Amino acid sequence: MAENIPRLLSIMAKLRDPNTGCPWDLKQTYASIVPYTLEEAYEVADAISREDFTELKDELGDLLFQVVFYAQIAKEEGRFEFDDCVAAICDKLERRHPHVFANKTLADSDAVLKNWEALKSTERKQVGQHSVLDNIPHAMPALSRANKLQKRCATVGFDWPTVEGCWLKVKEEIAEVEATSPASPELAEELGDLMFALVNVVRKHKLDPEAVLRAANNKFEQRFRAVEQAITAEKGSLEQATLDEMEASWQLVKQQLKPE
């Protein structure tokens, strides 16, 4: 391992060499790399969900390369280097784990999380961020950001005491959606409120809304592919089937794919 990090940094430097480097790599900026970084992060998540640990090794390498790429650009601009990134995370981890690296005693994982959030709050104030909601990236997926906003507010007590309160809010939002005309410009806002309220329910059950919806997407895809395969085998194509026939096939597939 000791020799591979310097090797990776050397490869990156050569790719960005103004005279002999790769034309594509030389064109890149912080902003242009962001889509690739997000894609690599999703590929890591996908490999984990499929428990493909051989692929996970490769995907983590791809994600690490993104970090090295940003650090190389920053080095060229005289801002910071890769080692500064490593030092920053080392300092942060030691600072936020006083129960491991200092003498603080924390009873359980809930106490650890509460202390972590308190330390983060102090750090935000030290850099001039005074709102509880500061430093929540706008570029996060909307479901994840909704969850993050709600969790931050919960740290200062702005939260439903129980999940029942969240469900009442969901029902209230459903009623508002149903009372809104489909042609109204307010419909999108009301639907957004409903989705935000549902995230609260998921959060209260200590689940991640992004992961929950990802699982639902995967389940839908698996079922629809099975419907597609069954109907195509019988009729030649989905277009030859009626909606009632597709629904009947869907219900059959649901039973066939139901967990034991």
Side-chain angles (χ1 to χ4, degrees):
M1 183 179 71
E3 70 275 8
N4 283 328
I5 290 296
R7 179 185 172 201
L8 178 58
L9 294 174
S10 176
I11 290 171
M12 186 71 256
K14 289 180 179 177
L15 289 173
R16 291 277 298 182
D17 186 289
N19 299 314
T20 60
C22 170
W24 186 89
D25 290 279
L26 286 166
K27 284 175 55 180
Q28 302 313 306
T29 64
Y30 299 112
S32 71
I33 301 170
V34 168
Y36 301 103
T37 307
L38 295 174
E39 181 179 338
E40 297 300 349
Y42 285 126
E43 288 180 359
V44 166
D46 184 63
I48 291 171
S49 70
R50 292 184 285 104
E51 297 188 349
D52 188 337
F53 298 107
T54 299
E55 185 173 335
L56 177 60
K57 174 191 65 178
D58 292 337
E59 298 300 349
L60 287 170
D62 291 343
L63 188 57
L64 175 61
F65 179 70
Q66 301 299 305
V67 177
V68 169
F69 210 142
Y70 291 116
Q72 176 63 32
I73 295 174
K75 179 180 178 180
E76 294 165 5
E77 296 177 350
R79 300 179 186 276
F80 58 82
E81 298 187 20
F82 178 78
D83 191 60
D84 297 315
C85 300
V86 177
I89 188 59
C90 288
D91 291 344
K92 182 185 293 184
L93 289 172
E94 289 176 349
R95 183 171 66 251
R96 291 188 182 174
H97 291 82
H99 53 294
V100 176
F101 300 103
N103 297 320
K104 191 176 183 70
T105 299
L106 297 172
D108 51 32
S109 61
D110 287 340
V112 169
L113 183 59
K114 186 175 181 179
N115 187 65
W116 177 282
E117 291 298 336
L119 289 169
K120 285 177 64 176
S121 177
T122 300
E123 291 167 9
R124 287 196 297 271
K125 290 175 182 176
Q126 288 172 345
V127 295
Q129 298 173 351
H130 297 289
S131 171
V132 171
L133 302 181
D134 280 343
N135 201 33
I136 299 179
H138 284 80
M140 288 179 72
L143 276 177
S144 294
R145 191 162 191 271
N147 188 47
K148 190 76 170 178
L149 288 166
Q150 293 171 8
K151 287 171 70 175
R152 282 279 184 89
C153 290
T155 64
V156 294
F158 190 74
D159 192 17
W160 296 105
T162 66
V163 72
E164 285 74 23
C166 300
W167 275 119
L168 288 174
K169 186 63 176 174
V170 168
K171 292 173 183 177
E172 176 188 321
E173 297 298 348
I174 290 175
E176 291 183 8
V177 168
E178 291 176 338
T180 304
S181 167
S184 171
E186 295 177 357
L187 179 61
E189 180 180 348
E190 297 298 345
L191 287 169
D193 291 345
L194 174 57
M195 294 171 72
F196 191 86
L198 278 171
V199 170
N200 244 332
V201 173
V202 176
R203 179 181 60 84
K204 274 297 188 181
H205 284 292
K206 299 188 183 302
L207 296 169
D208 174 59
E210 198 74 32
V212 167
L213 186 57
R214 189 181 303 120
N217 288 341
N218 291 341
K219 181 172 67 175
F220 175 86
E221 181 180 8
Q222 182 186 26
R223 289 176 177 177
F224 187 82
R225 285 181 182 274
V227 168
E228 187 176 38
Q229 186 176 17
I231 290 181
T232 300
E234 180 182 350
K235 293 180 172 289
S237 72
L238 281 176
E239 288 76 11
Q240 303 304 313
T242 65
L243 179 58
D244 286 342
E245 288 172 330
M246 285 190 278
E247 175 62 23
S249 181
W250 176 270
Q251 294 301 328
L252 180 60
V253 164
K254 278 181 64 176
Q255 291 300 316
Q256 291 173 339
L257 297 180
K258 201 170 185 179
E260 294 289 336

